[in-house]
Amino acid sequence: GNPSVALEYWLTALHHPATAPDGTVDVTLFQAPDAQRLDSLDDTALFTLSSLIIHDGATLEELYASLNLPESEVRGTCRTLEAMGIIQDEDGDETFEVTNRWLPAVERLLRRKSFLHRR
């Protein structure tokens, strides 16, 4: 039902093989992200992800106000999560959201660790 989700999954399924002629791509089944990468996240990252899910995205200013943490700590956490591909800033305006690809794994982890309570 969401074209942007379909596009994201479609693009992750395309691969250009090294031995293929130019203009040829392979289409494979996309892979879910490795949820074990989330196990290394600290509490600040987990609280940040919880806030992003609860508020359906947030600006950097909204995050450090809602988390009651210094701006530098929240900014560093967001950069780390963005580098891991877990969150994204689509418009370059420092409004972050959890990527569709990671959302199910992040929600499972946050529920398991009691950072998120919703159905």
Side-chain angles (χ1 to χ4, degrees):
N2 186 338
S4 64
V5 174
L7 178 62
E8 183 177 338
Y9 283 131
W10 170 250
L11 291 175
T12 60
L14 299 175
H15 303 282
H16 179 65
T19 59
D22 288 338
T24 303
V25 295
D26 286 340
V27 179
T28 60
L29 187 61
F30 60 88
Q31 293 184 352
D34 182 11
Q36 290 180 343
R37 292 181 60 198
L38 299 174
D39 292 335
S40 64
L41 297 177
D42 62 8
D43 284 351
T44 302
L46 296 176
F47 280 118
T48 301
L49 290 169
S50 296
S51 184
L52 289 173
I53 289 173
I54 290 168
H55 300 293
D56 196 25
T59 65
L60 195 59
E61 289 180 3
E62 292 168 340
L63 281 173
Y64 63 77
S66 68
L67 296 172
N68 198 25
L69 292 171
E71 179 182 355
S72 59
E73 186 174 351
V74 175
R75 185 179 298 276
T77 299
C78 286
R79 284 185 181 149
T80 300
L81 293 170
E82 192 172 24
M84 293 175 73
I86 298 170
I87 66 172
Q88 64 186 2
D89 176 9
E90 283 190 24
D91 300 326
D93 61 354
E94 294 188 329
T95 300
F96 296 96
E97 61 186 13
V98 178
T99 61
N100 292 322
R101 187 168 181 236
W102 277 97
L103 187 60
V106 168
E107 285 184 342
R108 277 192 304 274
L109 173 74
L110 294 176
R111 279 194 207 102
R112 189 180 79 220
K113 292 195 172 202
S114 298
F115 279 82
L116 185 65
H117 305 283
R118 74 174 199 184
R119 296 174 193 245

